[in-house]
Amino acid sequence: MGTLVVIEKDRETREQLAALGRELDFAVSTFASGKEGADHINQDAPEIALVSASLGDMSGYDVSLRFAYDYSTAIIIMVDSEVDFAGDYAMSRGVAELIVKPVNLEEMRCRIARARELHTMLRVRERLVNELERLSQIDGLTGLLNARLFFRQIEGETRASTENSSALSL
């Protein structure tokens, strides 16, 4: 079961989206305030966040741009009109999806499915990059640090011994 956050000031829309999220087997949290929603995303890193572009206390773009490059949460922005240039800006900065209000629930279902796929692919990518970094630091034949990492470690040890006025031993 994934987690979904809905940040929407309109109560009826918020409840409809929460019901859709539960139908799609998400644990759902809802917020009318952008600040509360952003704080929740920051603490719990949900799988997907549905964020209205127009919130009372802060812009939905501000909320989404704080987390778009983090890739731990797929952001779907809900804009008020098709001619929303800030939405284009948000998309260019890593927001997963953009949807125009009033929200068509079937379209939102498809957007959530695509955002879920994106989120899964990004998690796999992150895991593979971390594994590749780990493997690139160790020589596969000897099991020792490779030369680049060895010399970086020596440089750090030398700097530390100079700062602490202590002897460097190998």
Side-chain angles (χ1 to χ4, degrees):
M1 173 184 282
T3 54
L4 177 83
V5 170
V6 178
I7 307 173
E8 167 62 62
K9 67 181 178 183
D10 179 60
R11 187 181 60 78
E12 185 178 330
T13 304
R14 194 171 56 245
E15 289 174 0
Q16 286 178 341
L17 294 171
L20 176 64
R22 284 188 283 278
E23 181 184 315
L24 295 172
D25 200 30
F26 282 97
V28 179
S29 300
T30 62
F31 301 92
S33 157
K35 180 171 177 3
E36 289 175 358
D39 290 344
H40 180 78
I41 292 172
N42 197 33
Q43 289 175 351
D44 295 340
E47 185 178 341
I48 298 173
L50 309 178
V51 182
S52 175
S54 55
L55 298 166
D57 57 344
M58 68 189 295
S59 163
Y61 299 115
D62 294 335
V63 172
S64 64
L65 291 176
R66 286 173 54 183
F67 304 102
Y69 281 127
D70 181 9
Y71 295 122
S72 61
T73 300
I75 307 285
I76 298 176
I77 296 273
M78 300 175 288
V79 297
D80 294 320
S81 73
E82 288 187 42
V83 188
D84 194 332
F85 297 106
D88 293 339
Y89 175 76
M91 291 291 289
S92 72
R93 296 292 185 263
V95 170
E97 293 285 340
L98 191 74
I99 190 167
V100 178
K101 291 182 186 178
V103 174
N104 176 320
L105 293 180
E106 284 307 310
E107 181 181 1
M108 182 59 86
R109 181 186 313 271
C110 293
R111 302 286 178 115
I112 289 173
R114 191 163 47 200
R116 186 176 244 176
E117 283 180 32
L118 174 67
H119 183 262
T120 302
M121 287 189 306
L122 289 173
R123 289 287 173 135
V124 169
R125 178 189 172 276
E126 181 180 357
R127 184 178 48 79
L128 291 174
V129 165
N130 289 339
E131 178 69 9
L132 185 60
E133 284 178 5
R134 186 187 68 76
L135 290 172
S136 71
Q137 295 174 356
I138 298 174
D139 182 276
L141 182 62
T142 63
L144 300 173
L145 296 178
N146 67 23
R148 181 183 65 232
L149 195 59
F150 175 78
F151 287 117
R152 187 181 311 149
Q153 186 72 28
I154 290 293
E155 182 181 317
E157 294 294 331
T158 303
R159 192 174 327 111
S161 71
T162 302
E163 290 172 1
N164 298 331
S165 299
S166 62
L168 176 64
S169 63
L170 297 175

